[in-house]
Amino acid sequence: STVLVPRGNGGIQAYGDAAGFLLGIHHFNNGIGNVVREIDGINNTCPVRFVVDFADSESSQTVAVENFSRDICTHPDRPPAALFSAWRSAVSIPLAVLSSVYAIPQISPLSTSTELNDVTQYRYFARLIPSDAGTARATIDYLRSRSPSLRHLGVLYVNDAYGSAFFQALSESAQSESTPVGDRINVLGSPFSYNVASYADISPREIRIAIRALADTSIRVFFGVFYDVHYELVMRTAFEFGIAGPGYTWILSDGVSESYLHKRSYPAGSPLAIASQGIGILKAEGGRETVDGNRGYDRFSRAWYGQSDDSIDYYNCVGRPPNNTAGDPSIYYQGGPGLFSREDGGSIAPTAGSVFVYDSVMALGLAACGLLKDGKGQIEGTDLFAAFLRQNFEGASGRVVIDAATHSRDAVSAFFVLYNANGQTVDGVTTFAVNTASHTVAASADTESAAADPDAAAGTSILWVDMNATSFVYADGTATFPPPPEGDKNLIPRGLLIAGYVLFAVAAFAIIVCGVWLYLHRLKRQVKHRQPPLLGLVLLGCLISTSTILALAQESSGDGPVPACMVSPWLYSVGFCLTFATL
């Protein structure tokens, strides 16, 4: 049996993700191979069947662990074969520790924190979505492709496992050793905290402090790592501090969903209407439909939109948790007739989670059947997880290949999308439409070789292409990436430079005069008593330490390094030691 812990907001996205999971269960149990060819007729050759129980994590670590522990304790003789959970990384982490204790494979469709790449601690955790390290690579590559001169990036992030790991991944990708020093991007992070027991419990004061820190810089390009519930307060505050709107660029992580902003309206000219214009949302997606219609995502899309109203009734009954801590099962979204009908204007398209969780079900089922085919009489969690990591097939999200070093999908084989929010004002109200502006090139046949050689894949840039006839519209209403500001480079005023050079010349002249005098009078008795060699060392030390002025006067009008900066402490230290060691 499997346990799915969906997002606890009861929204249509969670419903769509659960629908993808149940569609995968239905296809595998009945050997329907119209999406994944490998499972066609597998019900006739393999006795493995999935039975599913749902529980609501409510986006809370405590609730998720309690639900999973209760399931283990209630049925100690038949623990779940696998755990499909959770959406938030902060919830998946404690669950991954607990599932490792019981050797139960845990597969998450949307948890992306790089902390979960630690395979020594989270031994039975895996995912078919790339980690934040992969998304960070895609983000930095996108920014470099659009603004090669960009050298500074501000990051506003939630101070939890997801946000902190994402910020760290951005910093590492921006400062990658494979990038020339002059082309590296300096990343400035500013975190804000919230009640991790309830990610909707927001502290306006924390957000103001974090945004003020970014506003005190000259940075104009920002990346946000926070959630839907934080969006309006964050962007309103950013506008208040003057770092949102025309001249500034904001790109958000998948913590804010594109469906949150799509069709959202604000009064025209209001802070949120101005700040939301040109917002970008970058995330890993399951895929895009192609012209030829022969890719895995095309097949999944046809199966998704081909679901009948009977499937909706089944999902409404089975696909929701039986209860929650509020004791109110009615909060969960319920689908209506025609929900999956493309012709009838159905309101739900395949979600990213539905695609990844569908492929996860396929991979787990194929792994279990492979073990039975190899003669395993009883499937243990350790063997099942190892077989899951070895799976390689063309799924709904493309070629499924898992990196054994991280138990995550490599960014080279993933599909990333950049959404763009563009507002239109009618009758004093600005309504935003969120559309795809750019995406990465679909994984090629080299995916398997890239996964086999992670070091080679790590040095490969992720190529972004714009959608046909679609341009990213920035906050100023144009399709041109705002140029970085000239800013104050904090250069030394010319007057101070002249004064420094004059003082050095005076000091050097005095030292030379003293040196000449010492040489001319070196044989006199009074001078001999003062030991001319030591006096010469004193003068040499004074000249070396005074030369520090020359090193400190060196600077760069660009972003390049100034080697003389490292000479300064050496000049002054050596000169000081020579001068006073001889006294």
Side-chain angles (χ1 to χ4, degrees), residues 96-339:
V97 174
L98 190 58
S99 64
S100 294
V101 172
Y102 292 101
I104 296 175
Q106 177 184 344
I107 301 146
S108 171
L110 292 177
S111 291
T112 56
S113 173
T114 53
E115 182 177 344
L116 290 163
N117 283 345
D118 185 356
V119 298
T120 59
Q121 183 170 359
Y122 310 111
R123 292 175 296 166
Y124 292 91
F125 178 87
R127 52 193 166 191
L128 297 189
I129 188 172
S131 71
D132 291 333
T135 307
R137 275 183 61 193
T139 300
I140 297 300
D141 286 345
Y142 173 80
L143 292 173
R144 286 196 175 116
S145 68
R146 296 307 185 264
S147 180
S149 61
L150 182 67
R151 295 294 177 269
H152 302 281
L153 175 67
V155 180
L156 179 73
Y157 64 97
V158 289
N159 195 16
D160 63 4
Y162 167 64
S164 299
F166 206 123
F167 166 68
Q168 182 66 27
L170 279 170
S171 300
E172 292 175 356
S173 183
Q175 294 289 322
S176 172
E177 293 183 359
S178 61
T179 305
V181 174
D183 294 337
R184 295 177 185 177
I185 299 175
N186 298 312
V187 179
L188 173 66
S190 187
F192 67 89
S193 300
Y194 64 99
N195 184 355
V196 294
S198 173
Y199 74 116
D201 190 358
I202 312 168
S203 171
R205 180 176 176 273
E206 289 274 355
I207 291 177
R208 289 183 66 86
I209 292 173
I211 292 179
R212 181 183 288 115
L214 295 176
D216 289 339
T217 70
S218 61
I219 296 174
R220 290 183 176 270
V221 181
F222 300 95
F223 193 88
V225 188
F226 44 83
Y227 304 108
D228 292 347
V229 293
H230 303 137
Y231 176 81
E232 291 192 352
L233 180 57
V234 165
M235 298 312 299
R236 190 185 299 113
T237 306
F239 179 82
E240 177 187 341
F241 280 95
I243 57 172
Y248 294 89
T249 301
W250 279 83
I251 297 177
L252 311 181
S253 71
D254 58 359
V256 177
S257 65
E258 69 281 4
S259 59
Y260 173 84
L261 272 178
H262 189 58
K263 297 182 179 181
R264 187 166 290 268
S265 299
Y266 299 111
S270 66
L272 280 173
I274 297 173
S276 298
Q277 174 60 42
I279 287 287
I281 299 176
L282 194 151
K283 61 188 296 187
E285 285 279 16
R288 276 289 184 277
E289 293 183 81
T290 60
V291 176
D292 58 24
N294 294 324
R295 299 287 180 87
Y297 187 86
D298 297 310
R299 299 192 295 270
F300 178 81
S301 183
R302 287 193 290 270
W304 178 272
Y305 288 114
Q307 297 178 93
S308 66
D309 288 347
D310 290 339
S311 298
I312 298 172
D313 294 336
Y314 177 72
Y315 297 162
N316 290 341
C317 177
V318 178
R320 69 174 187 174
N323 212 331
N324 49 61
T325 56
D328 183 14
S330 66
I331 67 172
Y332 300 111
Y333 182 86
Q334 295 286 278
L339 182 64

Side-chain angles (χ1 to χ4, degrees), residues 379-402:
I379 300 176
E380 301 291 341
T382 302
D383 297 329
L384 180 60
F385 187 72
F388 177 87
L389 297 180
R390 293 193 299 268
Q391 294 308 302
N392 188 324
F393 61 92
E394 184 70 28
S397 60
R399 172 60 56 178
V400 174
V401 180
I402 305 172

Side-chain angles (χ1 to χ4, degrees), residues 386-459:
F388 177 87
L389 297 180
R390 293 193 299 268
Q391 294 308 302
N392 188 324
F393 61 92
E394 184 70 28
S397 60
R399 172 60 56 178
V400 174
V401 180
I402 305 172
D403 183 0
T406 62
H407 296 176
S408 302
R409 196 176 196 142
D410 192 278
V412 175
S413 69
F415 184 79
F416 295 96
V417 172
L418 180 67
Y419 292 99
N420 180 215
N422 190 17
Q424 297 293 329
T425 301
V426 178
D427 296 331
V429 176
T430 301
T431 302
F432 287 90
V434 180
N435 299 301
T436 304
S438 304
H439 63 82
T440 56
V441 174
S444 66
D446 294 332
T447 299
E448 295 181 46
S449 59
D453 188 2
D455 292 333

